[in-house]
Amino acid sequence: KRCVATVTLCDEFSGVHGISPAGVLFAAMERLATQIPAILRGDTSNVWVLRNAAITHFRPGCPNEVVMLFGFIEWDGIPGEPIVIHTEACDGTDGLLAEADYTIVPVSMKRFQRGSSIPLATGSFEIPRAIEPDGRAD
């Protein structure tokens, strides 16, 4: 099973806080990755937060191009443990723009709603925010 989403690389994104088209792809693929456990596993008791990522960009997308995003669970651990999600971004002709592996960790919905900080690495913290799940599984 895999999840599918789309993103349009419009010119407006390039001016948002200095985000490049490659940064837009990274963010879109990460958003997809963190939604996959809810979509493919039905795991709505947790919010999934990025721990680390490895991305390879093959070529940039064109402005105003619709990019297809695909994602699936590459490595599934035991419940409550981190999992690895593999994602790919392809242009309209199915040419690969980028691929990435995201390690995501579960945070209980109760802890997430309290706004508790999550230790990501020694001395660093991030406060997660809610993301509305959307997309489809095929």
Side-chain angles (χ1 to χ4, degrees):
K1 290 185 174 182
R2 68 182 182 157
C3 289
V4 179
T6 59
V7 64
T8 301
L9 300 176
C10 53
D11 290 329
E12 292 80 21
F13 281 146
S14 61
V16 178
H17 305 293
I19 296 175
S20 67
V24 171
L25 280 181
F26 178 88
M29 293 164 70
E30 179 210 356
R31 182 170 178 157
L32 175 65
T34 58
Q35 297 304 310
I36 286 176
I39 296 168
L40 294 183
R41 293 163 119 198
D43 183 348
T44 57
S45 63
N46 292 304
V47 174
W48 292 83
V49 179
L50 177 66
R51 174 178 281 171
N52 60 42
I55 186 166
T56 302
H57 292 280
F58 297 103
R59 60 188 178 82
C62 298
N64 299 316
E65 178 179 35
V66 175
V67 175
M68 296 293 297
L69 306 175
F70 305 96
F72 61 89
I73 299 172
E74 184 170 284
W75 183 83
D76 201 354
I78 59 174
E81 292 294 316
I83 64 175
V84 176
I85 305 295
H86 180 80
T87 60
E88 297 177 352
C90 299
D91 63 13
T93 60
D94 291 327
L96 190 61
L97 301 175
E99 65 180 351
D101 290 320
Y102 295 90
T103 301
I104 56 176
V105 296
V107 176
S108 72
M109 189 61 74
K110 183 177 177 181
R111 182 176 175 192
F112 181 81
Q113 288 173 337
R114 283 194 324 250
S116 301
S117 61
I118 303 164
L120 301 177
T122 304
S124 64
F125 293 90
E126 178 180 351
I127 305 297
R129 59 183 169 80
I131 298 174
E132 293 297 320
D134 51 5
R136 73 173 205 264
D138 63 350

